[in-house]
Amino acid sequence: MTTTGADHATALRGPWWWSRWRSAVLDVGLALVSALECAAEGIPFARDAGIPVSAGIVFGLLAGSVLVLRRKWPIAVVLVAIAITPAQMGFLMGIVGLYTLAAAELPRRIIAALAGMTFLGTLIVTFVRVRQSMARGDLTLGDWFVPFASLATSLGLTAPPVLLGLYVGARRRLMESLRERADSLERELQLLAERAEERAEWARGEERTRIAREMHDVVAHRVSLMVVHAAALQAVARKDPEKAVKNAALVGDMGRQALTELREMLGVLRSGEAAQRRTTAASASVSVSVPLAAVGVAAAAAASRVAAEDEGPWLSELEVLVGQSAAAGMVVDLSVEGDVRSYAAVIEQTAFRVVQEALTNVHKHAAGAKTHVRLAHRVAEIAMQVENEPPPEPASAAAAGLPSGGNGLVGMRERVLGLGGVFVSGPTDAGGFRVSAVIPAA
């Protein structure tokens, strides 16, 4: 944060009504000079007025010292200067007072009225003094000189300080406006940086959730099939060597497929992280003031890139998925209704993952149960349902010893609801379990 606005004023606080000590020293110095000037001018004034000289000096000292109040009460200073103009005193106070008045944040009508009063007072006093000098013979110029000298003196003592004060006041207000805008812009940048950090954290959380779902789908289904085949291999290893060899080959195929999918996913993640680092480094080299915004942009770009590059499974592979479950000993049938057509990648991947996770749950919790997989292509949506009957033996659910983390149904629900669909799951009246989902086709 830069030291601007209120922080700037607090850092430069001076005594009493002065904002800085330098301003106080300047005003005290000007008041001292003005007091000495008025005291010197008070001597001829006392002689002309027929009063003691000491009284004129004291009067001049008091009148000139009023200049110390020019920042606090500029109107009072100008009025005092106008009041002592007939005594030909306070020229410095009049000039400095007019400058301070014009530079202050006061209504223009007040500035114009006091400046006009000063001009008129100076004009009258100068006119009278010059005319008296010409009458005494001190000046031998023509009659034209009287009004000329009066106007020139009045303009010289009034116009320059007023114009300079107006310029300085306008410039000061402009600088204050620029400082306030800088403070506002800095606050906005800080707020944008905080929001960018929140967006980056949200993007990272969303990406972690998505990766967790993908990892669960890949690992849970493939490994579940591997465990089922391994259990069957153990059971028939001595009785039927040919079937054992077939099951062993299926276990190997499942393991290789699982490793291939994991490698593809990790490769996409690594490429996304490398691109994110490059984007963050480039943003940091261009601008160091708001690095959090670059982090947010990079994180969001990485998340979008990973989602776009992830070539997940398609609905055309659904028969292969059902065949793998059938090879593992599950009695499963697949029925497809409606005209088969292509959908957006994310819709097909979500539909496939729902069926995959439902079949995995059947392997885990209802091994040996007959399962029905239904897929319906409708006009504006695609619907899927996986329903299994009760397992043939109550103990068969835990026969393979498959663990369950309880995240499968949560992941399916998140996927479907994220696309604006409907997800329903629960036990059936017959003792089985049903998973249903409807996803908009658009």
Side-chain angles (χ1 to χ4, degrees), residues 38-62:
C38 291
E41 294 169 346
I43 297 175
F45 168 71
R47 292 173 181 173
D48 294 341
I51 60 176
V53 176
S54 58
I57 295 176
V58 172
F59 176 75
L61 289 173
L62 293 176

Side-chain angles (χ1 to χ4, degrees), residues 18-304:
W18 287 285
S19 61
R20 294 177 293 185
W21 279 95
R22 185 176 63 183
S23 301
V25 172
L26 176 62
D27 289 355
V28 171
L30 289 174
L32 181 60
V33 174
S34 177
L36 295 177
E37 176 204 352
C38 291
E41 294 169 346
I43 297 175
F45 168 71
R47 292 173 181 173
D48 294 341
I51 60 176
V53 176
S54 58
I57 295 176
V58 172
F59 176 75
L61 289 173
L62 293 176
S65 60
V66 176
L67 189 60
V68 77
L69 304 174
R70 71 182 187 96
R71 297 180 191 268
K72 184 69 173 177
W73 295 300
I75 297 177
V77 174
V78 174
L79 290 176
V80 172
I82 295 173
I84 63 176
T85 299
Q88 290 188 315
M89 298 170 59
F91 293 102
L92 176 62
M93 183 169 60
I95 294 174
V96 176
L98 283 177
Y99 163 79
T100 307
L101 179 71
E105 295 183 1
L106 294 173
R108 293 296 176 88
R109 62 179 183 274
I110 297 178
I111 298 175
L114 292 177
M117 292 171 61
T118 303
F119 174 81
L120 184 61
T122 306
L123 179 66
I124 295 174
V125 171
T126 305
F127 183 86
V128 173
R129 293 295 182 180
V130 172
R131 192 172 185 83
Q132 290 177 353
S133 297
M134 293 186 65
R136 290 195 303 265
D138 296 338
L139 296 175
T140 58
L141 299 175
D143 294 338
W144 61 270
F145 182 74
V146 177
F148 173 78
S150 302
L151 289 174
T153 304
S154 301
L155 288 175
L157 295 177
T158 305
V162 171
L163 294 178
L164 181 61
L166 291 174
Y167 167 76
V168 172
R171 185 176 181 276
R172 184 183 301 157
R173 287 187 289 272
L174 175 62
M175 295 302 295
E176 289 294 332
S177 176
L178 293 177
R179 185 180 291 113
E180 291 177 359
R181 290 184 181 180
D183 289 341
S184 176
L185 179 60
E186 190 170 4
R187 288 191 296 268
E188 290 179 2
L189 288 177
Q190 186 177 8
L191 182 60
L192 288 176
E194 293 175 357
R195 290 181 178 177
E197 186 177 12
E198 293 176 359
R199 288 195 299 269
E201 185 62 30
W202 175 83
R204 287 192 291 266
E206 288 293 315
E207 189 60 17
R208 283 194 295 266
T209 303
R210 195 189 72 84
I211 293 171
R213 287 197 299 262
E214 292 291 337
M215 296 288 287
H216 177 272
D217 292 339
V218 172
V219 174
H221 182 73
R222 301 295 184 190
V223 174
S224 297
L225 292 179
M226 291 171 63
V227 172
V228 172
H229 282 296
L233 175 63
Q234 184 180 6
V236 302
R238 294 182 179 179
K239 298 180 181 179
D240 192 350
E242 184 177 352
K243 188 174 182 180
V245 171
K246 183 178 179 182
N247 287 338
L250 289 175
V251 171
D253 290 340
M254 293 294 159
R256 282 188 290 272
Q257 291 176 7
L259 288 176
T260 300
E261 292 187 12
L262 287 175
R263 269 196 212 97
E264 291 177 354
M265 187 178 302
L266 293 176
V268 172
L269 290 176
R270 289 194 184 97
S271 63
E273 291 175 357
Q276 177 180 349
R277 286 194 295 269
R278 289 194 298 269
T279 305
T280 305
S283 301
S285 63
V286 174
S287 174
V288 186
S289 59
V290 285
L292 295 178
V295 173
V297 173
S304 301

